[in-house]
Amino acid sequence: MAPSFNNGNSLFDFVVRDGNGVKGLADLGLSAVPDRYIQPPEERIEKQKAISGHIVAPIDLSKLDGPSHEQVVEQIAGAAEALGFFQVVNHGVPVELLESLKDAAHNFFAQTPEKKAIYRSPPVKYGTSFAPEKEKALEWKDYISMAYTSDADALQYWPMECKEVAVEYLKAITKMVRKVVEILIGKLGVTLDLDDSIMNGLVARKMVNMNFYPTCPNPELTVGVGRHSDMGTLTVLLQDGIGGLYVKLEEDFDALKKGEWMEIPPIPGALVINVGDVLQIVSNGRYKSAEHRVRTSSNESRVSIPVFTAPKPSEKIGPLPQVLETDGVARYRQVVFQEYMNNFFGNPHQGKKSLDFAKP
C-alpha cells in the first residue's frame, strides 16, 4: 500500500528521514509532484526561453602543448572570464570509463532505500535535495557524496557499486584539473612556485558526487537543482545524454547577453568544467563562478557525476597578492575556507549569494 502524505511532515519523513529519497516518491507512480516540490514561478526553468549552448564550441585539450597551445589557453581563460564554464573534448579520459561511471551511478541508486541509507555520514553521505531542513521548496534530486582522502580509504568506505570506477575516474581527471588551474593562474600573471604551494592550496580537497534525478511528472514546476555556484575551485561534470543543465551568462559573450540562461547540451565524450567561487575570489573577480541549475525530465531518469576540487578547510583564501598589485583594490577579503563552507552549506541555494560572505 502506498504511503499517505497527509501533511508536509509525513512527506519529509518518507523522503528525508527514512531515506527513500525522491526516487522513492517516483517509484510510487505519482501523477503530480507533492506541494513541497513546487517551486515559486521565478525559480522554475522555462526551457523554451533558454539559449542553446551548441553555439559555444567545446575546447580541444589535445591541442595544448602544440602549435595551437596559446589559442587554446585564450579559449579557456576567455570562457572562465565571461561564462564561468566550458566543455572539453580529447581530455585523455577514456569514453569507456565515462560510460562505466554512469552505469555505476544508476546501479547505486537502483538499490533499496535500506542499502543506500547506511551511507548517512562522512566520508560518504547519501541524501536528497540540498538543505531540506531549510528549503521552502525541495529539489527533485538524490545524491551520494564521497570525500576522497586516499585510495585505501575510498576502497574501504565508498559503496561497492561504484568505488573502483570512481577512484579510477578521479585519478584520470586529476592531471587535467591541474593543467587547467595552472593555465588560469598563469593568465593572472602568477607563476606557480616550485613547491606547488598555490596549486596544492587550491585543489587539495577532492569530492566525487553522483546525482540522480528520477523521472518527474511536472518538470515545469520543479527543479533538479536550484540556482547556485559551486563553492570550490574547479568542478568537472560528467553529464549523461539526457541533458538539463543550465548556466547563467556572467558577461556578454559574442552575441550572447549577460544574465541570459544557456542550456548546456550533452556532447558524447565531453566533460563540463565549472569555475567555482574560490577561483573567483583568488582572481579578484576576473574569473566568474558559474551560476547554474538543473531541470527535471518526465521522460527518463538522469544521472550526473561532478568532481569538486577545493582547498583544505584550514586554508585561507583571498585575492592573490600578484593580482592585487595589478588591480589595486581587493573585491574580496581573506577568509578561512572552513568558514566559507559552513556558510555555503548552512543556507539553501540562492544563486551566487554565498560569495557575499567573502566581500569586504
Side-chain angles (χ1 to χ4, degrees):
M1 182 177 174
S4 173
F5 303 124
N6 295 323
N7 57 61
N9 289 336
S10 60
L11 173 70
F12 189 88
D13 289 345
F14 177 83
V15 174
V16 179
R17 296 208 171 103
D18 299 341
N20 290 286
V22 181
K23 185 177 185 300
L25 280 182
D27 289 346
L28 296 175
L30 301 178
S31 59
V33 296
D35 289 347
R36 278 294 302 272
Y37 287 91
I38 297 177
Q39 297 288 327
E42 65 273 14
E43 298 298 337
R44 299 172 193 172
I45 301 174
E46 298 184 70
K47 183 178 175 67
Q48 66 275 14
K49 290 187 177 181
I51 307 162
S52 171
H54 283 291
I55 60 179
V56 180
I59 297 173
D60 186 348
L61 294 187
S62 69
K63 294 182 178 180
L64 286 171
D65 302 318
S68 302
H69 177 83
E70 289 304 320
Q71 180 183 353
V72 177
V73 167
E74 292 299 329
Q75 289 175 336
I76 291 172
E81 290 176 17
L83 303 175
F85 83 96
F86 45 95
Q87 296 206 67
V88 295
V89 293
N90 296 325
H91 39 62
V93 183
V95 173
E96 296 79 13
L97 179 56
L98 302 181
E99 294 304 314
S100 295
L101 191 63
K102 288 183 280 189
D103 289 343
H106 277 289
N107 290 339
F108 174 81
F109 289 105
Q111 297 181 104
T112 62
E114 294 77 20
K115 289 185 177 180
K116 290 180 286 190
I118 64 173
Y119 301 104
R120 300 296 288 270
S121 59
V124 180
K125 183 184 178 186
Y126 162 71
T128 189
S129 197
F130 177 69
E133 291 82 4
K134 299 184 178 183
E135 292 164 337
K136 293 180 180 178
L138 299 173
E139 299 176 346
W140 193 264
K141 177 195 77 171
D142 297 333
Y143 68 89
I144 183 166
S145 182
M146 300 172 283
Y148 178 84
T149 51
S150 68
D151 287 3
D153 284 349
L155 295 175
Q156 180 177 354
Y157 297 113
W158 292 9
M160 181 176 60
E161 294 75 17
C162 59
K163 62 185 179 183
E164 290 184 359
V165 68
V167 169
E168 184 181 356
Y169 175 66
L170 184 58
K171 286 183 174 181
I173 66 169
T174 296
K175 182 179 179 182
M176 177 192 70
V177 167
R178 293 178 72 90
K179 184 68 174 177
V180 171
V181 172
E182 179 185 326
I183 286 170
L184 292 173
I185 297 300
K187 287 295 288 181
L188 296 174
V190 178
T191 302
L192 295 178
D193 46 18
L194 294 177
D195 66 2
D196 247 6
S197 61
I198 295 178
M199 175 69 75
N200 291 333
L202 290 173
V203 298
R205 195 165 182 261
K206 301 175 184 68
M207 184 169 290
V208 181
N209 274 30
M210 291 182 168
N211 299 326
F212 184 73
Y213 307 94
T215 52
C216 177
N218 302 109
E220 73 284 357
L221 300 178
T222 58
V223 296
V225 180
R227 298 180 299 110
H228 73 289
S229 55
D230 294 339
M231 68 174 181
T233 302
L234 213 63
T235 302
V236 180
L237 176 73
L238 171 62
Q239 295 199 83
D240 63 13
I242 298 169
L245 173 64
Y246 293 76
V247 174
K248 189 176 184 179
L249 300 183
E250 290 295 315
E251 301 288 345
D252 293 349
F253 186 79
D254 293 337
L256 309 176
K257 298 299 181 184
K258 178 179 179 179
E260 293 183 306
W261 285 91
M262 175 187 292
E263 183 173 10
I264 310 305
I267 298 175
L271 295 168
V272 180
I273 296 184
N274 285 4
V275 172
D277 290 350
V278 168
L279 205 49
Q280 179 161 336
I281 291 168
V282 300
S283 70
N284 204 33
R286 177 167 169 181
Y287 300 133
K288 311 297 192 302
S289 58
E291 183 175 345
H292 54 287
R293 56 187 180 175
V294 174
R295 192 176 193 270
T296 58
S297 170
S298 58
N299 299 321
E300 296 179 78
S301 295
R302 174 180 181 264
V303 294
S304 67
I305 299 97
V307 173
F308 302 104
T309 63
K312 293 181 293 186
S314 59
E315 191 81 26
K316 290 182 178 179
I317 57 170
L320 293 169
Q322 299 93 325
V323 177
L324 288 181
E325 287 179 15
T326 303
D327 291 358
V329 177
R331 296 182 177 88
Y332 302 97
R333 62 187 178 92
Q334 191 175 77
V335 297
V336 176
F337 189 58
Q338 180 67 65
E339 296 173 359
Y340 193 85
M341 286 196 297
N342 292 344
N343 177 72
F344 183 87
F345 287 116
N347 294 287
H349 283 147
Q350 302 175 76
K352 294 182 64 170
K353 200 172 189 318
S354 55
L355 275 167
D356 290 348
F357 183 80
K359 290 183 177 177

